[in-house]
């Protein structure tokens, strides 16, 4: 697959984050946050947070039924951003300790697919 | 600039009837006391164990384990649409009937000798049944009392003294008004904890700890006139209790990704017609071990299942109306679930510390202040039941 098709047109700036963060499943996304380094989180959040409104508007306009693989990856990327934003915007320096305790809270079901 | 409100906490005079004495610690860790609670509290109370959205069609079933009573339950939606609960135990020789956690079937066959039961619990067929000395009617699955209020499924392992609705009193109507009554799906996370169920539950019915244990989440919701974010009201009905959550009138608006989640989530909640409802600030604690928070955006339930005197399991669900209709809705739901999970994470860690300290036997008593009265109420309710049961067993008046 060529890198141009990883994400929908207009979102190519986020392609470096696809491999690490465009994960299927809420538990996998939460787990990725827990296993990430502060540098990874900061880089992803800095690149993606400003794109969130535009990404959601684009995906809403398309609708789930018309999603292709690139759309699905963008969706999963934004869902991972939600988890990472909690670390970057809310927990901040407490995140490493928080991650250790959070591992006890097992996500078993979500409408997006656990 | 004037402060928008002056908060007045609930006064001790309103709560004097609960008592003010120190509370003995032993019931929070003693295995003998826990053995009494199994019978006095859990076999004699309605217990919340699921939601009707888990049984979407006739033939849907779920299996639920209730360790506190050593029970496995099979809950079905029959051909007639009725929700029923049975012991998940084959009536031939006691084998656990169903292994799957959930599914859809018209019959359930025991793997051991192929006794086959219907959704109504009746024995449909059994190989060479003529060689037995019993009728099929006598071999139906043992039924457990099961009733639904507000979409929530409750079971009772004993002989209920009243219907679920009577037992819940005014809280039944509140449940019916809350989004949970219309929920069709949910997000769920589960934790195991090395702590007594009451100690675990108590953490979630007092706000005194919020600013210390949840500095990130509690900071924006406290103010100089309510530095502990105490509730505006308490309410009690029989063994149940509730609080009305206070919200800071001049709260700073959220920023960043959080702001986007709230904005998108609010649009969805508005289209579901659950914004601004009367029950939005109600936080119900239904005896013995169930919470439901009325917040439309983070409408969560929390059940603390006892496993042993020093072990419990928490199941938290955020109930939603409809599947994810838009990517924005999916984003908001995942964010809200992750936010609640962050907060509960902080609780879990400190509760385990509490149990370890109490179980050391170092303290004979613990102390509840006025704004921890819901914890005191739970202790009183459990204590009354355990003492009555003990007296009943020993044949002396309580």
């Amino acid at each position: 697959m060529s890198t141009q098709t990883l994400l929908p047109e207009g979102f190519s700036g986020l392609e470096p984050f696809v491999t690490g963060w465009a994960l299927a499943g809420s538990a996998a996304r939460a787990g990725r946050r827990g296993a990430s380094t502060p540098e990874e989180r900061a880089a992803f959040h800095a690149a993606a947070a400003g794109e969130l409104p535009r990404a959601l508007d684009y995906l809403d306009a398309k609708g789930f039924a018309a999603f292709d693989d690139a759309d699905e990856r963008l969706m999963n990327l934004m869902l991972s951003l939600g988890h990472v934003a909690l670390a970057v915007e809310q927990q901040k320096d407490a995140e490493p300790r928080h991650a250790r305790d959070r591992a006890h809270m097992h996500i078993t079901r979500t409408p997006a697919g656990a | 600039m004037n402060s928008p409100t002056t908060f007045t906490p609930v006064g001790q005079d309103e709560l004097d009837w609960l008592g003010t004495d120190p509370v003995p610690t032993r019931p929070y860790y003693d295995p003998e006391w826990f053995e009494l609670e199994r019978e006095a509290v859990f076999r004699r109370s309605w217990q919340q164990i699921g939601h009707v959205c888990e049984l979407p069609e006739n033939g849907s079933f779920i299996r639920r384990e209730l360790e506190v009573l050593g029970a496995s339950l099979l809950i079905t939606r029959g051909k007639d649409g009725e929700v029923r609960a049975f012991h998940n135990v084959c009536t031939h020789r006691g084998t656990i009937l169903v292994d799957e956690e959930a599914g859809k079937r018209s019959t359930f066959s025991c793997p051991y000798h192929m006794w086959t039961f219907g959704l109504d619990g009746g024995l449909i067929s059994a190989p060479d049944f003529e060689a037995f000395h019993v009728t099929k009617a006598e071999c139906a699955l043992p039924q457990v009392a099961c009733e639904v209020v507000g979409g929530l499924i409750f079971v009772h392992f004993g002989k209920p003294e009243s219907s679920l609705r009577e037992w819940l009193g005014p809280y039944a109507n509140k449940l019916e008004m809350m989004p949970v009554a219309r929920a069709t799906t949910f997000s769920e996370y589960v934790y195991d904890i090395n702590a007594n169920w009451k100690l675990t539950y108590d953490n979630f019915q007092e706000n005194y700890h919020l600013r210390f244990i949840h500095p990130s989440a509690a900071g924006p919701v406290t103010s100089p006139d309510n530095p502990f974010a105490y509730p505006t009201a308490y309410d009690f009905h029989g063994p149940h209790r509730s609080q009305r959550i206070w919200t800071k009138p001049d709260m700073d608006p959220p920023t960043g990704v959080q702001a986007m989640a709230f904005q998108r989530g609010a649009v969805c909640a508005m289209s579901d017609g659950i914004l601004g409802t009367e029950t939005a600030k109600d936080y119900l604690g239904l005896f013995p071990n169930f919470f439901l928070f009325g917040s439309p955006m983070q409408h969560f339930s929390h059940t603390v299942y006892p496993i042993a005197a020093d072990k419990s399991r928490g199941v938290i669900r955020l109930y939603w109306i409809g599947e994810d209709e838009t990517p924005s809705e999916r984003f908001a739901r995942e964010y809200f679930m992750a936010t609640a999970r962050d907060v509960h994470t902080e609780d879990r860690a400190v509760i385990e510390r509490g149990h370890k300290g109490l179980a050391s036997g170092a303290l004979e008593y613990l102390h509840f202040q006025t704004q921890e009265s819901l914890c005191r109420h739970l202790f009183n309710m459990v204590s009354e039941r355990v003492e009555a049961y003990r007296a009943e067993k020993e044949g002396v008046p309580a």
Side-chain angles (χ1 to χ4, degrees), chain A residues 3-112:
Chain A
T3 51
Q4 281 86 346
T5 62
L6 273 180
L7 290 174
E9 200 182 330
F11 294 97
S12 59
L14 297 177
E15 286 188 349
F17 301 98
V18 166
T19 308
W21 295 101
L23 303 171
S26 305
R29 292 187 283 270
R32 177 71 177 93
R33 167 192 170 192
S36 62
T37 65
E39 293 74 24
E40 283 180 308
R41 292 192 293 274
F44 178 41
H45 183 267
E51 298 285 15
L52 177 63
R54 198 165 64 86
L56 292 179
D57 287 345
Y58 162 82
L59 294 168
D60 284 351
K62 192 142 191 194
F64 288 121
F67 266 24
D68 58 23
D69 289 349
D71 298 326
E72 196 63 48
R73 282 191 283 271
L74 182 61
M75 179 82 248
N76 287 336
L77 208 52
M78 292 302 118
L79 292 170
S80 284
L81 174 64
H83 292 274
V84 165
L86 283 168
V88 175
E89 298 176 4
Q90 312 297 322
Q91 299 301 341
K92 299 175 185 164
D93 293 344
E95 174 66 9
R97 180 181 55 81
H98 206 273
R100 187 196 62 207
D101 293 339
R102 204 169 55 237
H104 294 284
M105 316 298 275
H106 303 285
I107 298 172
T108 50
R109 174 167 163 160
T110 65

Side-chain angles (χ1 to χ4, degrees), chain B residues 135-199:
Chain B
T135 65
K136 281 187 181 167
E138 291 169 288
C139 295
L141 294 177
Q143 197 158 354
V144 175
C146 175
E147 292 183 25
V148 175
V149 167
L152 295 162
I153 305 170
F154 292 74
V155 292
H156 194 303
F157 280 79
K159 290 192 173 65
E161 286 173 7
S162 58
S163 72
L164 172 64
R165 191 167 284 279
E166 285 165 347
W167 193 64
L168 294 173
Y171 294 160
N173 281 343
K174 280 195 185 283
L175 292 178
E176 301 281 15
M177 288 165 66
M178 286 181 171
V180 72
R182 292 167 50 205
T184 59
T185 188
F186 54 89
S187 304
E188 182 186 83
Y189 50 92
V190 176
Y191 65 90
D192 288 318
I193 185 167
N194 293 319
N196 183 267
W197 71 276
K198 298 186 298 300
L199 200 67

Side-chain angles (χ1 to χ4, degrees), chain B residues 13-68:
Chain B
D13 54 336
E14 258 190 54
L15 299 157
D16 274 343
W17 63 280
L18 291 166
T20 55
D21 289 343
V23 169
T25 56
R26 190 164 276 280
Y28 291 87
Y29 65 87
D30 179 19
E32 277 178 43
W33 180 276
F34 183 75
E35 289 307 313
L36 296 168
E37 285 179 344
R38 288 185 200 271
E39 298 303 318
V41 173
F42 289 93
R43 200 177 296 283
R44 295 179 175 194
S45 300
W46 287 99
Q47 294 181 72
Q48 201 279 330
I49 44 106
H51 189 275
V52 293
C53 71
E54 297 175 86
L55 303 166
E57 299 172 275
N58 295 352
S60 297
F61 73 90
I62 50 175
R63 174 176 61 78
R64 283 288 134 83
E65 304 299 311
L66 270 125
E67 286 94 338
V68 67

